[in-house]
Amino acid sequence: MHHPVNTKRVYEPRAGDDGVRVLVDRLWPRGLTKAEAALDLWLKEAAPSTALRKWFGHRPDRWEEFQTRYLVELRTSSAVSQLRDLAQSGPVTLLYAAKDREHNEAIALAAFLESDLA
């Protein structure tokens, strides 16, 4: 059995149903202290490569291609098995700093994990 994989901006406060809070950005979020982030794990390895992140640049017109390229990276990432294990033991919230709530690596990663765990 697996539990939900949710996404949330890291700037939002912890909620009771967040479960394990995992930051999946390669860079630390601007203007945020570790205490304010209230995260349980910073899994940089789950983030897109620097080259892919810079290419994407949070441009919605590149979203489909970004997801395709990111999924290729995820297939060889050790972070995926760690996230899969966490999702099997309780709820997981993937945290991201991007302002765009629909086009970011946490959304793509959550979809990948949900399809992988189904």
Side-chain angles (χ1 to χ4, degrees), residues 3-78:
H3 297 268
V5 177
N6 303 304
T7 60
K8 179 187 264 190
R9 282 196 82 212
V10 70
Y11 300 100
E12 295 177 40
R14 179 185 281 275
D17 61 350
D18 281 352
V20 178
R21 291 169 50 95
V22 182
L23 178 62
V24 294
D25 283 352
R26 194 166 297 278
L27 305 174
W28 185 259
R30 291 182 190 190
L32 196 66
T33 66
K34 290 188 180 190
E36 291 168 335
L39 55 95
D40 299 299
L41 179 64
W42 183 11
L43 202 54
K44 296 177 196 178
E45 301 82 17
S49 65
T50 300
L52 180 55
R53 178 180 54 83
K54 287 182 177 183
W55 172 83
F56 176 46
H58 296 287
R59 289 180 45 182
D61 61 310
R62 293 186 173 175
W63 175 240
E64 294 300 323
E65 180 65 21
F66 167 78
Q67 289 180 94
T68 301
R69 293 181 186 191
Y70 185 35
L71 294 183
V72 169
E73 291 184 359
L74 288 174
R75 287 193 180 99
T76 60
S77 172
S78 61

